[in-house]
Amino acid sequence: MILAVEPLENRFVRLEPLAAALEDEVRAALDCDPDAWDIMVAAGYGPHFDGWWRSALRAMEQGTRIAWAVRRLSDGAIVGTTSLYEIRPDYRRCEIGSTFYRPEARGGPVNPSCKRLLLAHAFDAGAVRVEIVTDAINPGSQAAIRKLGARDEGVLRKHKITFKGRIRDTAQFAILDDDWPEVRARLDARLAAFG
């Protein structure tokens, strides 16, 4: 499994690998909604952005993460970020995560578009397993992950510590290569409904 660091695009979004030229646009996109960041492991808004940015670029250099800026094609605005991370070529697995969208980009085609691109990128590269995890206290995120067709694999207790110091339980989900055709069809149908 070799995951290329490259732009990904469909009708609704263009995912652009993080690079210096995008820093100001990404900063502006993430510098909002502090309450939504409260349950995240790492924060990327306000005073936390510089550390978040350096960490993302360092992980990209190490080959353990590909972080993308999410550009909404309807207006050209960067509306968030998402990543493939915990990349383990030896096990042919990775995770989708470190996802944040501006409030006005939530609930429409942006998230399913991003997930469709990321999952295709991973499975086309030979992944056999793509994991998606979220905070166990975030039922909205869990519902969105289930809606994708990911399978619930339980809760990892005391799995991570948020940037605010809360010890977090993590709800774990996965999509296997065997699941991908059905998940892909479901995502394609959802995206077609947006016209």
Side-chain angles (χ1 to χ4, degrees), residues 29-30 32-33 36-37 40 79-82 98-103 106:
L30 302 188
C32 67
D33 200 5
W37 287 102
M40 302 283 212
V79 295
T81 184
T82 193
S98 195
T99 299
F100 179 87
Y101 305 120
R102 295 189 64 79
R106 300 173 193 159

Side-chain angles (χ1 to χ4, degrees), residues 113-193:
S113 293
C114 290
K115 296 302 188 284
R116 174 65 170 85
L117 289 169
L118 295 172
L119 288 164
H121 194 58
F123 288 119
D124 289 350
V128 297
R129 176 182 174 84
V130 177
E131 298 172 0
I132 308 174
V133 302
T134 191
D135 197 313
I137 66 168
N138 189 343
S141 178
Q142 292 174 54
I145 294 167
R146 287 185 185 100
K147 190 173 181 179
L148 291 172
R151 296 194 188 183
D152 190 328
E153 295 188 329
V155 174
L156 304 172
R157 299 177 302 150
K158 294 188 176 183
H159 182 239
K160 295 185 178 187
I161 299 177
T162 70
F163 79 99
K164 289 201 160 185
R166 180 177 55 85
I167 298 174
R168 151 187 147 160
D169 293 342
T170 297
Q172 173 138 351
F173 300 83
I175 298 170
L176 305 182
D177 55 347
D178 301 327
D179 307 324
W180 174 228
E182 181 182 334
V183 170
R184 180 178 55 222
R186 182 184 296 197
L187 280 167
D188 288 345
R190 281 177 65 189
L191 292 172

